[in-house]
Amino acid sequence: SAKAAGKRTFRLFCTEMEVRLHERVRLEAKLRAALADMDGLFLYYQPITDVRTRAVTAREALIRWHHPGRGWISPAEFIPIAEESGLIRDLGAWVLRRACEDAASWEDGARVAVNVSPRQLGTGTLASAVLDALFASGLSPDRLEIEVTESALLGDEKAGLADLRRIRDMGVRVALDDFGTGFSSLAHLRAFPFDKIKIDGSFVRDAVQRPDCAAIVGVVADLGRRLGVTTVAEGVETQAHLDLVIAEGCSEVQGYLLGRPAPRAADLPRIADLTAPFPTRKTA
Ligand code: C2E
Ligand code: MG
Ligand code: MG
Ligand code: MG
């Protein structure tokens, strides 16, 4: 009967929700444990290259998690869990500290770019986390760059901007990430003196086929030039992408063509252990 069918659907729905909820609760517990022992969490670094000089001006720190049972889990999956569970504060503080420590040992003096979650903004705690990381590492503030997305400013914009102002007053640079996606607004560029605009990779990748996307890349590059702001094209995967974003006037480029995110040297042996499905021991 229809009633029985309805009951079955309802039960199926509940079971699915339960399974997802359980999975989420378990992931959160595992993430909490990983954070407590600093086990399975790594920072990878991807170069950002100046178009004119070809020098690496910065490296973006990108977090990686190796889950004991599931293997590598994308930040797109676990960052939201960290945000909703409140773990993002400790996670964010760890990323800042580790990134600044790593950058302090880079011989080329490149800056390090650190992503900051919306949940880390507007709470009044960002400045002290940044200060801690700079103090512990001895890194000069002008070698740190904080990346925020526009969505980070959508909640309590005043409080968010106040946090950004505090770190910029220390000499830390601030970049607007994924520009053009989500709720883009020129008002953000008026409200805060960003040092850098990062044009989302989706525009860059479409621009070769679509003149409208190329036009958007070009207009943002022009905007950056007139504002005196560096513009980075993200997601540059091919020579055609590179040629296009250079022609459109972007000042810096980032993407697989120029370098994939890679583990820091110190983590290499551990990563190799983790990824080898059947660790083989050298005989003789
Ligand atoms: P994002 O900040 O926009 O980082 C760029 C993403 O694009 C990275 O994905 C990077 O691996 C990827 N990417 C770089 N070059 C290319 C390319 O040529 N083609 C394509 N298809 N992709 C490219 P990833 O590492 O998976 O990170 C995803 C997002 O997770 C980041 O986007 C950032 O929003 C967030 N995230 C990563 N690490 C952290 C972190 O430490 N803290 C916080 N709060 N968020 C983080
Ligand atoms: Mg970023
Ligand atoms: Mg981005
Ligand atoms: Mg992104």
Side-chain angles (χ1 to χ4, degrees):
S1 71
K3 205 172 164 189
K7 247 185 198 159
R8 266 199 307 277
T9 319
F10 179 69
R11 198 169 278 157
L12 201 70
F13 181 64
C14 276
T15 310
E16 234 183 77
M17 273 185 24
E18 275 166 23
V19 167
R20 246 185 286 158
L21 188 67
H22 273 134
E23 175 59 18
R24 206 188 160 84
V25 168
R26 275 167 40 194
L27 264 187
E28 185 189 319
K30 282 273 188 287
L31 186 59
R32 195 179 296 276
L35 206 54
D37 326 333
M38 261 9 290
D39 194 26
L41 289 168
F42 306 91
L43 286 188
Y44 276 34
Y45 291 97
Q46 186 179 33
I48 300 172
T49 310
D50 185 287
V51 161
R52 266 177 227 281
T53 65
R54 301 280 160 144
V56 172
T57 58
R59 292 183 186 85
E60 180 172 4
L62 295 161
I63 195 164
R64 296 290 178 264
W65 181 26
H66 190 272
H67 182 284
R70 284 185 45 190
W72 296 104
I73 297 185
S74 160
E77 187 178 348
F78 71 84
I79 292 284
I81 294 177
E83 285 172 343
E84 279 160 41
S85 61
L87 289 172
I88 193 69
R89 227 183 112 172
D90 288 347
L91 193 68
W94 175 76
V95 171
L96 268 167
R97 239 175 195 260
R98 169 54 62 81
C100 288
E101 278 166 11
D102 287 344
S105 71
W106 294 344
E107 280 167 14
D108 61 4
R111 281 189 296 271
V112 66
V114 174
N115 292 285
V116 160
S117 142
R119 292 293 172 103
Q120 290 171 271
L121 268 193
T123 61
T125 58
L126 182 66
S128 66
V130 164
L131 212 55
D132 278 351
L134 291 174
F135 186 74
S137 62
L139 190 75
S140 163
D142 62 5
R143 288 188 55 207
L144 176 61
E145 200 161 80
I146 295 297
E147 294 193 1
V148 296
T149 57
E150 289 177 286
S151 58
L153 296 172
L154 286 184
D156 187 350
E157 184 164 321
K158 257 199 195 134
L161 291 175
D163 279 352
L164 290 182
R165 233 167 254 126
R166 235 170 273 149
I167 60 167
R168 200 168 182 276
D169 287 345
M170 297 176 194
V172 171
R173 293 164 49 105
V174 181
L176 192 52
D177 202 358
D178 299 349
F179 189 73
T181 62
F183 297 90
S184 284
S185 163
L186 294 176
H188 296 134
L189 294 174
R190 181 178 57 183
F192 190 79
F194 288 97
D195 298 283
K196 183 181 268 190
I197 298 171
K198 300 189 76 176
I199 305 169
D200 192 68
S202 57
F203 292 103
V204 174
R205 286 190 293 272
D206 285 350
V208 174
Q209 315 290 342
R210 290 183 48 180
D212 54 335
C213 287
I216 291 172
V217 172
V219 165
V220 176
D222 285 346
L223 182 66
R225 200 173 309 106
R226 293 198 57 180
L227 294 174
V229 173
T230 307
T231 48
V232 184
E234 298 189 276
V236 173
E237 293 179 350
T238 65
Q239 186 64 44
H241 294 159
L242 182 63
D243 293 342
L244 186 134
V245 300
I246 291 175
E248 294 296 345
C250 295
S251 36
E252 299 188 351
V253 284
Q254 177 179 7
Y256 296 162
L257 180 72
L258 300 125
R260 286 183 177 260
R264 61 190 201 127
D267 283 335
L268 272 169
R270 285 186 71 193
I271 300 276
D273 288 346
L274 291 171
T275 46
F278 302 107
T280 49
R281 195 176 297 157
K282 267 198 190 123
T283 47

